[in-house]
Amino acid sequence: MTNLLADRRAVTDDLDVLVVGGGFSGIYQLERLRSLGFAVKVYEAGSDAGGVWHWNQYPGARVDTEATLYQFSDERIWREWNWSEMYPGQEELQAYFRFVIDRLDLAGDIRFSSRVIAARFDEETDRWTVETRDERTGETFLSRARFLLPMLGTGSKALYPDFPGLADFQGDSFHTSRWPKNYDMTGKRVAVIGTGASGVQVVQTIAPDVAHLTVFQRTPATAIPMYSRKLDAAANDELRQRYPHLFEYRETTFAGLEYNVIFTPTAEVSDEEFTATLEDLWSKGGLHIWLGGYADMFFNSDVGDRIYAFWREKTLPRIKDPALAEKLVPSVPPYPFGTKRCPLEWTYYDAFNQDNVELVDLHEAPIQEVTRNGIRTADGREHEFDVIVLATGFDSFTGGLTDIDVRGTGGESFGDAFREGTRTALGRATAGFPNILYVYGPQSPSAFCNGPTCAELEGDWVVDCLVHLRDNGLTRIEATPEAEQEWNDHLGALAAATTFPLANSWYMNANVPGKKTELLAYPGGLPLYLEKCRESSDHGYAGFVLS
Ligand code: N01
């Protein structure tokens, strides 16, 4: 185990706060803490701005919540920035981040291509010593900071399948979040493995251009139409009138969006009204039918199945071959609707009507191995490819943390600490790891919350906390084991009342071999979560020891 505390190398940055990750959460911390006089820097492993919007450069990558709230609430930004459409693509989002960094003059406090690889806490000084690798040179350097804020999001650790032979494949192979810049798929024979939000976007985008596309499906997606619309200058001006209200309203909604779930119990709703409401939500497109739909769907799988039947009726006619339709849109719901993320699509289902697009159902023919030329399935077929795309998702909640060799005061790593299950107080911190605070981390609303909303609202709690510590001459904050237990019990009770445990989803951490299956996104909704956070801070940061 590296003894960083005894490492005598010169220190590159001596900071109050070191933020790991330059996505929405990290950039928000940088701007706010800097304006309050903290010495703060962001270390970002990527070579350019954007967080996930830098890493996910696959064809068709596009945000799937409306731009109205998928942005910072800072007026200096939204007064000037114009969106070209309601669901902007990756390039536009990365340009947005560059604009923010430029407009707020943040570049001098961001180190790009800098991957934090290890950290040790000095109990004498209450400071972290952090080791970082320069991704361009491979060299490492040391920094010190009182507080270490891992702002790693849910998509920083790509999940690779362990198919035998993958490393020996002679063609090109990459994960959707490690897409080679400007890689041209034209005329190639392509495999896409995985049909989550990333796979759906890739498939519908490349299908018209590739020579042949084989989609390997383990679980069918319940993809819903996006319906993006172009926004001209007048439309942006009209949106600007609404932003101040929307930035206030978002914190009253379940998912931090401009719309809320419907709390009316479906038992009190007639069949006609139920269907009319679904029709209305469907016509709006986007995630409305899910995060703006009947909340009952998350507690009662019969309700989920009724929504599934509606979705199926809408989707089925788009697929010409009935056998193929049964695989993509099965008559029996593969999981209660809403327990897996609904990808957004525009031509995903239509793509399967093309002669050059094929579906392999992995339940019928599992992948046996990757050969030098392609993929061999259990039915004995060898599918030949030029490219294998791994749209296999992420080790979302704890993967970013467990990848860094952080040692807590007891010498344990995050991997050790989470071996029997993840533990945090308020989704904010873990006992034994003082002066580390998360935003959008495990056991916070994260995957159920619009990213920028939680980056800011959770982020404000962290900023206020650091100001409180500074104003009171305190140098250390640490979650108590009792508060962790209480949070785990609370989250566990909420989770048990929902239908989420009925699906093998990444929400349940079920996609990561070796990690405990448990719901790691807080399912109580953003308002309840914020109330719990306020209860703690209003009571002198109850659940945390400050010294
Ligand atoms: O990952 P996923 P994703 N063999 O985990 C399959 C956000 N996002 O990158 O369902 C075969 O959802 C796996 O199958 P199964 C969004 O929050 C946002 O697509 O586990 N297949 C599944 O089909 C999203 O939810 C945006 O049975 C394997 C797929 O791979 C989250 O990121 C865009 C396999 C993984 O789906 C993750 O989405 C994209 C194996 N060994 C993503 N392992 C926007 O905002 C996994 N699979 C636009």
Side-chain angles (χ1 to χ4, degrees):
M1 188 168 94
T2 329
N3 187 359
L4 286 183
L5 298 181
D7 195 321
R8 294 285 158 245
R9 275 181 287 172
V11 169
T12 301
D13 288 314
D14 206 345
L15 303 165
D16 297 323
V17 185
L18 198 163
V19 179
V20 191
F24 275 104
S25 300
I27 294 297
Y28 186 69
Q29 289 298 316
L30 174 59
E31 164 58 14
R32 285 226 50 211
L33 290 171
R34 201 177 69 166
S35 70
L36 290 162
F38 286 88
V40 50
K41 273 197 164 65
V42 165
Y43 286 12
E44 162 60 51
S47 59
D48 200 348
V52 284
W53 298 109
H54 167 69
W55 289 101
N56 287 272
Q57 303 200 3
Y58 60 80
R62 183 170 292 282
V63 66
D64 48 15
T65 50
E66 288 95 334
T68 36
L69 283 182
Y70 199 80
Q71 60 178 338
F72 291 107
S73 64
D74 190 324
E75 188 168 349
R76 292 170 294 176
I77 305 300
W78 58 256
R79 274 274 159 231
E80 290 181 27
W81 179 263
N82 283 330
W83 295 107
S84 73
E85 59 182 309
M86 199 44 113
Y87 295 87
Q90 176 270 332
E91 284 184 9
E92 186 166 350
L93 283 154
Q94 189 161 34
Y96 173 75
F97 268 88
R98 290 190 193 118
F99 173 78
V100 171
I101 288 169
D102 189 45
R103 182 71 185 74
L104 303 180
D105 195 21
L106 300 175
D109 292 313
I110 305 175
R111 283 188 187 278
F112 287 110
S113 303
S114 298
R115 182 179 294 279
V116 170
I117 53 173
R120 298 289 181 274
F121 190 69
D122 184 347
E123 301 238 38
E124 303 276 306
T125 59
D126 287 343
R127 293 173 77 74
W128 284 96
T129 296
V130 177
E131 187 173 35
T132 303
R133 186 175 64 231
D134 183 325
E135 295 287 65
R136 291 158 304 192
T137 63
E139 285 172 12
T140 62
F141 58 94
L142 292 188
S143 312
R144 287 216 176 87
R146 168 87 62 220
F147 299 100
L148 185 59
L149 307 183
M151 305 279 140
L152 301 168
T154 53
S156 61
K157 182 169 184 192
L159 192 65
Y160 288 85
D162 59 353
F163 303 131
L166 185 56
D168 301 323
F169 177 59
Q170 295 295 290
D172 295 324
S173 169
F174 35 81
H175 190 274
T176 42
S177 70
R178 298 293 181 271
W179 202 273
K181 206 168 182 57
N182 301 325
Y183 187 88
D184 188 5
M185 287 280 189
T186 315
K188 296 206 159 86
R189 296 165 305 164
V190 182
V192 173
I193 302 174
T195 54
S198 305
V200 164
Q201 290 190 329
V202 171
V203 166
Q204 64 193 357
T205 307
I206 67 172
D209 302 324
V210 297
H212 191 84
L213 172 59
T214 308
V215 181
F216 290 84
Q217 171 186 282
R218 193 162 67 180
T219 311
T222 40
I224 47 185
M226 174 179 268
Y227 302 144
S228 192
R229 67 181 167 96
K230 299 284 177 209
L231 299 170
D232 59 14
N236 274 278
D237 286 340
E238 188 270 328
L239 286 174
R240 269 186 275 275
Q241 304 290 320
R242 294 172 53 214
Y243 287 156
H245 164 71
L246 293 179
F247 287 126
E248 295 225 331
Y249 176 71
R250 62 183 180 173
E251 68 181 85
T252 67
T253 70
F254 179 86
L257 292 167
E258 61 183 273
Y259 49 86
N260 205 357
V261 288
I262 303 167
F263 290 105
T264 314
T266 45
E268 295 171 13
V269 174
S270 68
D271 288 353
E272 293 72 29
E273 187 185 336
F274 184 78
T275 308
T277 303
L278 295 191
E279 286 287 359
D280 178 50
L281 294 167
W282 187 264
S283 70
K284 290 183 169 126
L287 297 174
H288 287 256
I289 203 165
W290 182 46
L291 295 174
Y294 286 106
D296 263 8
M297 106 180 72
F298 301 118
F299 302 97
N300 181 341
S301 56
D302 291 343
V303 176
D305 289 352
R306 284 174 75 194
I307 301 172
Y308 181 89
F310 175 89
W311 168 83
R312 184 168 188 265
E313 213 179 293
K314 293 282 185 200
T315 312
L316 203 56
R318 290 172 55 189
I319 308 150
K320 290 189 187 136
D321 173 355
L324 187 58
E326 181 54 27
K327 290 189 191 312
L328 286 163
V329 186
S331 36
V332 177
Y335 42 85
F337 188 90
T339 53
K340 275 189 173 236
R341 166 68 121 83
C342 301
L344 295 189
E345 59 92 30
W346 42 102
T347 52
Y348 177 67
Y349 294 105
D350 316 286
F352 289 94
N353 296 327
Q354 291 179 207
D355 291 338
N356 66 333
V357 179
E358 178 187 3
L359 184 86
V360 172
D361 179 347
L362 290 176
H363 288 293
E364 282 176 5
I367 292 173
Q368 211 165 42
E369 61 171 338
V370 176
T371 62
R372 289 168 63 83
N373 299 318
I375 292 176
R376 193 187 319 279
T377 41
D379 55 5
R381 259 185 89 184
E382 185 180 1
H383 309 254
E384 294 201 350
F385 299 114
D386 303 308
V387 190
I388 298 176
V389 174
L390 305 170
T392 44
F394 300 89
D395 183 351
S396 294
F397 296 99
T398 56
L401 274 179
T402 53
D403 253 15
I404 305 174
D405 178 21
V406 184
R407 297 293 161 145
T409 48
E412 61 177 4
S413 65
F414 278 112
D416 300 330
F418 297 158
R419 184 144 296 133
E420 305 300 322
T422 306
R423 48 183 186 80
T424 74
L426 287 177
R428 180 74 65 243
T430 299
F433 295 86
N435 292 2
I436 290 185
L437 298 171
Y438 324 125
V439 165
Y440 215 73
Q443 300 187 327
S444 79
S446 64
F448 298 149
C449 182
N450 180 42
T453 303
C454 271
E456 295 197 349
L457 299 180
E458 282 190 57
D460 287 341
W461 192 100
V462 170
V463 171
D464 292 347
C465 175
L466 297 190
V467 169
H468 173 85
L469 293 168
R470 183 177 68 179
D471 289 353
N472 289 283
L474 301 166
T475 54
R476 177 170 168 149
I477 177 167
E478 183 174 354
T480 67
E482 294 75 23
E484 281 182 346
Q485 191 59 50
E486 205 178 303
W487 193 245
N488 269 37
D489 291 348
H490 171 60
L491 203 150
L494 289 175
T498 71
T499 48
F500 287 105
L502 299 176
N504 275 333
S505 67
W506 69 265
Y507 297 146
M508 293 297 302
N509 220 23
N511 60 330
V512 190
K515 287 197 172 172
K516 186 180 173 188
T517 299
E518 53 181 345
L519 185 60
L520 285 180
Y522 181 76
L526 182 61
L528 181 59
Y529 177 74
L530 294 175
E531 192 183 311
K532 297 271 178 199
C533 293
R534 260 191 308 271
E535 269 171 26
S536 163
S537 51
D538 286 353
H539 292 87
Y541 294 92
F544 300 85
V545 175
L546 278 52
S547 58

